[in-house]
Amino acid sequence: MDEVLTRSRLNRAALARQMLLARQEMTATAAVERLLVMQAQEAKPPYVGLWSRVAGFSADLLRQALHGREVVRATHVRGTLHLLSAADYLAFRAPVQPVLTASAASIAKRLGGPLPEQGELLAAARAILEKGPADFGTIREGLRERFPEVNERALGYAVRMQLPLVMVPTGDPWAFPANADFTLAELWLGEPIAPDESPAPMVLRYLASYGPAGVADMQTWSGLKSLRPVFEELRPRLRVFRDENGRELFDLPDAPRPEAEVEAPARFLPEFDSLVLAYADRGRIVSEEHRPRLVTKNLRVPASFLWDGFVRGTWKAAIRKTSATLVLTPFEPLPGAALAELEEEGRGLLGFLAPGVAKTDVRVDPAG
């Protein structure tokens, strides 16, 4: 009979994989690779995510990894921008292509009309980008000249989804401006995308970073469908568990699964943190009653904080020239010990976000 893992055991397993039980000594590249992907539809959040996970982390460490082409910012799982190590991007770009292709077709249909033949469209985009990096306004303008009868936004989106591209880092504080340039991944990295489309290796890496997890969890995280046969193929190499609701979970045999009693420190997660988005069943990280608070009506995922391992509220930072304030909004009243721990960790976060600012404050709004 399969061993049952309680909600608290699953929580501690997730935190252990995510370096949230204790900060780890490692490079920015190694940390990004440990997490497999970090959602990065905005440039700043991954820096906060790494600060909460890596001992002695500074923003320069990630900037250097990006400029050194060890880490890339590119469209990946769920058709969203993520950070990945260059090695993982090359290895795992092909397996997510079905998700990206489906997204391109859906957008084209919504915007009215079929796309040009894929080979012709991508060849036109390549010709533009082989002249040098370009932002998507420039790319769309070039595509509109070639395909004037097709909606230019559909053209741009189709290229973004189907042509392996990476964003070009700059000297901006978080390495990318709002309207960053893109370039061909093979030119930036000097290697072609690995042709293997099998998702099995990525499933194993997902379990290392987020397990134990079920088929639906991996599908939610990746956007891929019909992964049951892949898990069945891998079953002999995996351990099988059940959660308290009887749901089947898979894991790597030697992956960490701490006891529920292991202490979990206060931690701050950025907007769109991959941990919050990694599961179909988010019960291991947030209670069901509070889950709606983690996705807003416009599909933003707010920055949140953990206490005793679970998401207990959200946070915002107000940073000015001479002062910085961290405002915590708990989902429910917190004990004094939690507030003291969160304040100490929060002051450290303000030191990271606003170095050199003379006055810092951590404020707790009424729970609600």
Side-chain angles (χ1 to χ4, degrees):
M1 189 171 182
D2 299 332
E3 180 182 352
V4 174
L5 296 177
T6 65
R7 177 172 177 255
S8 294
R9 284 286 305 280
L10 291 172
N11 172 266
R12 294 313 194 250
L15 299 184
R17 317 294 171 90
Q18 291 285 304
M19 299 181 285
L20 291 167
L21 288 180
R23 287 182 168 91
Q24 303 293 305
E25 298 271 1
M26 61 175 60
T27 66
T29 302
V32 172
E33 205 159 70
R34 167 90 170 255
L35 300 170
L36 186 51
V37 301
M38 299 187 74
Q39 187 152 335
Q41 61 196 77
E42 295 176 1
K44 179 180 173 182
Y47 289 83
V48 176
L50 290 177
W51 177 83
S52 289
R53 292 167 163 99
V54 177
F57 177 76
S58 71
D60 279 342
L61 297 177
L62 180 54
R63 284 193 288 261
Q64 290 166 8
L66 288 161
H67 283 277
R69 309 190 187 195
E70 297 175 6
V71 172
V72 296
R73 185 181 179 203
T75 300
H76 204 255
V77 292
R78 303 187 303 280
T80 303
L81 287 169
H82 284 77
L83 293 190
L84 303 88
S85 74
D88 281 348
Y89 179 77
L90 291 169
F92 299 135
R93 177 59 173 72
V96 301
Q97 187 57 58
V99 177
L100 308 183
T101 301
S103 295
S106 174
I107 291 296
K109 182 177 180 180
R110 194 172 76 194
L111 293 177
L115 293 167
E117 189 274 325
Q118 179 176 314
E120 187 180 6
L121 173 60
L122 298 189
R126 281 182 176 277
I128 295 168
L129 288 160
E130 283 170 352
K131 298 175 184 177
D135 63 32
F136 257 87
T138 302
I139 295 169
R140 285 195 296 268
E141 183 178 346
L143 294 172
R144 186 176 64 233
E145 292 176 2
R146 177 68 180 81
F147 307 102
E149 72 285 358
V150 183
N151 181 286
E152 66 177 86
R153 300 203 71 81
L155 289 171
Y157 191 80
V159 168
R160 187 191 295 258
M161 293 295 107
Q162 297 182 90
L163 189 63
L165 304 174
V166 299
M167 298 180 86
V168 179
T170 67
D172 283 65
W174 307 113
F176 299 98
N179 190 28
D181 284 347
F182 286 76
T183 190
L184 295 165
E186 61 195 40
L187 294 181
W188 185 253
L189 298 175
E191 294 184 48
I193 301 297
D196 184 6
E197 298 179 357
S198 169
M202 194 167 68
V203 168
L204 296 174
R205 287 289 304 282
Y206 168 79
L207 292 175
S209 299
Y210 299 98
V215 176
D217 295 318
M218 172 70 183
Q219 291 179 167
T220 295
W221 172 84
S222 66
L224 292 166
K225 298 179 180 179
S226 304
L227 289 179
R228 170 61 68 178
V230 181
F231 277 80
E232 292 301 328
E233 175 189 339
L234 293 171
R235 185 183 288 271
R237 300 170 56 182
L238 303 174
R239 281 199 63 182
V240 180
F241 300 90
R242 299 276 173 178
D243 67 12
E244 292 172 300
N245 295 319
R247 194 169 64 103
E248 188 174 50
L249 305 173
F250 297 89
D251 203 7
L252 304 182
D254 298 326
R257 290 177 289 273
E259 296 299 323
E261 295 76 19
V262 170
E263 184 177 345
R267 288 290 184 263
F268 288 89
L269 302 179
E271 297 90 340
F272 305 105
D273 193 88
S274 294
L275 174 63
V276 177
L277 298 169
Y279 307 101
D281 179 0
R282 297 182 191 172
R284 75 184 67 195
I285 198 69
V286 63
S287 68
E288 189 61 33
E289 63 183 305
H290 297 144
R291 176 172 173 166
R293 305 280 292 275
L294 286 183
V295 180
T296 66
K297 291 181 180 179
N298 59 356
L299 300 182
R300 290 193 61 83
V301 179
S304 59
F305 60 83
L306 306 176
W307 185 72
D308 192 27
F310 292 89
V311 176
R312 307 287 186 172
T314 59
W315 64 270
K316 293 182 179 179
I319 298 175
R320 299 176 175 82
K321 288 185 178 180
T322 60
S323 66
T325 303
L326 190 70
V327 180
L328 311 185
T329 304
F331 295 150
E332 57 190 8
L334 296 171
L339 296 176
E341 192 176 349
L342 287 162
E343 179 177 357
E344 180 180 358
E345 182 76 1
R347 290 190 182 278
L349 176 59
L350 289 176
F352 172 74
L353 293 173
V357 169
K359 183 180 178 182
T360 62
D361 186 38
V362 178
R363 192 180 81 223
V364 181
D365 279 353

